[in-house]
Amino acid sequence: MSRLDSRIALITGAASGIGLATARRFAEEGAKVVLADRNGDALSTACASLCGDGHDMATMDVTDEQAWAALADRIGARFGKLDILVNNAGFGKFASIADTTLAQWRSILAVNLDSVFLGTKYMLPLLAASGHGAIVNMSSIRGIVAGAGTGSYSAAKGGVRMFTKATAIECAEAGNGVRANSIHPGHIATPLTAPAYADAEIAKTLLADVPIGRIGQAEEIADGILFLASDESRYMTGAELVIDGGSTAQ
């Protein structure tokens, strides 16, 4: 039996990068996956690339509360439950505090943090209906250690880390069977990070902080998300899984 047989999973930011790699791993392990992203064309291609049948997709802005409410109704009507929620959508814009506008600050927090709150709020009843729901929230090593020029992003990802813990405690006290854990990637090659890593000087600087000495791959993060979503992590909640090549060990 595959690790996610008969499980229904929702992944945001699923059209590319870590989200798409995770969708593929979940499908390989028997899950029916609902892929959500704001890029409709890329989302169609991503959904078509999954193995198996029965997958679905939703073109949406993860900062739109009404879109979350509508998606919850849609998943409830079709499946009656949700087993796994992966709040993966996010982006970073790195600048000094002085050079960051309030609009930029709010945009980064909206996509990286508000979406995690909205996804959890609207999907929690469906996850509770599962009896063994699992939430995996995408944080970052910047949710643990900060750096110059990362003020907005670190604030958002640190918020994801602590919101996940609050969710875990609340669900445990409610006895609804839902677990919540955060995942904290280091430097990972994705379409969003490719331009930076293509710059030899930037890549050299980044790798100086990675003891393993290489950039990580999206599939390596997907494997960690699969673990947190599966019954193999059934005694984990409110925890942090760091996959960073050793960066935060220093």
Side-chain angles (χ1 to χ4, degrees):
M1 180 179 291
S2 298
R3 296 153 81 183
L4 299 181
D5 272 344
S6 302
R7 303 288 171 95
I8 309 301
L10 168 62
I11 304 172
T12 65
S16 65
I18 293 171
L20 178 54
T22 302
R24 287 172 173 162
R25 289 292 287 120
F26 280 15
E28 290 167 359
E29 292 292 341
K32 301 302 181 188
V33 186
V34 180
L35 296 83
D37 201 287
R38 65 181 181 180
N39 187 332
D41 291 340
L43 193 59
S44 296
T45 301
C47 192
S49 74
L50 301 188
C51 65
D53 299 319
H55 307 297
D56 200 357
M57 61 180 231
T59 303
M60 65 178 289
D61 177 350
V62 292
T63 69
D64 182 345
E65 183 173 9
Q66 293 309 309
W68 277 108
L71 183 56
D73 288 345
R74 177 174 159 186
I75 291 174
R78 177 170 179 181
F79 301 108
K81 65 166 186 170
L82 182 67
D83 300 292
I84 302 162
L85 168 63
V86 181
N87 283 309
N88 167 72
F91 82 104
K93 182 176 178 60
F94 303 102
S96 69
I97 294 169
D99 290 336
T100 300
T101 67
L102 181 58
Q104 289 169 341
W105 166 272
R106 287 176 172 167
S107 176
I108 289 173
L109 263 69
V111 175
N112 291 281
L113 182 55
D114 291 359
S115 68
V116 175
F117 160 70
L118 291 170
T120 302
K121 175 181 175 67
Y122 282 97
M123 296 300 160
L124 197 51
L126 291 170
L127 290 161
S130 161
H132 50 233
I135 300 172
V136 184
N137 291 329
M138 182 61 65
S139 185
S140 164
I141 59 171
R142 292 303 174 215
I144 300 173
V145 294
T150 71
S152 302
Y153 190 72
S154 292
K157 293 303 187 181
V160 170
R161 177 187 178 215
M162 295 309 297
F163 179 77
T164 302
K165 293 178 182 299
T167 302
I169 294 169
E170 191 170 311
C171 289
E173 290 182 349
N176 60 20
V178 178
R179 299 181 298 108
N181 295 288
S182 57
I183 193 158
H184 299 255
H187 302 301
I188 307 299
T190 70
L192 285 177
T193 62
Y197 297 153
D199 184 302
E201 288 303 312
I202 292 177
K204 181 179 179 181
T205 300
L206 293 175
L207 285 174
D209 293 330
V210 184
I212 284 183
R214 66 173 176 84
I215 300 297
Q217 300 300 309
E219 290 75 16
E220 292 172 306
I221 308 305
D223 286 340
I225 295 172
L226 173 61
F227 167 69
L228 292 177
S230 75
D231 289 340
E232 293 168 11
S233 62
R234 59 191 174 274
Y235 198 57
M236 288 179 67
T237 195
E240 302 149 6
L241 180 59
V242 181
I243 307 177
D244 68 352
S247 294
T248 57
Q250 305 173 93

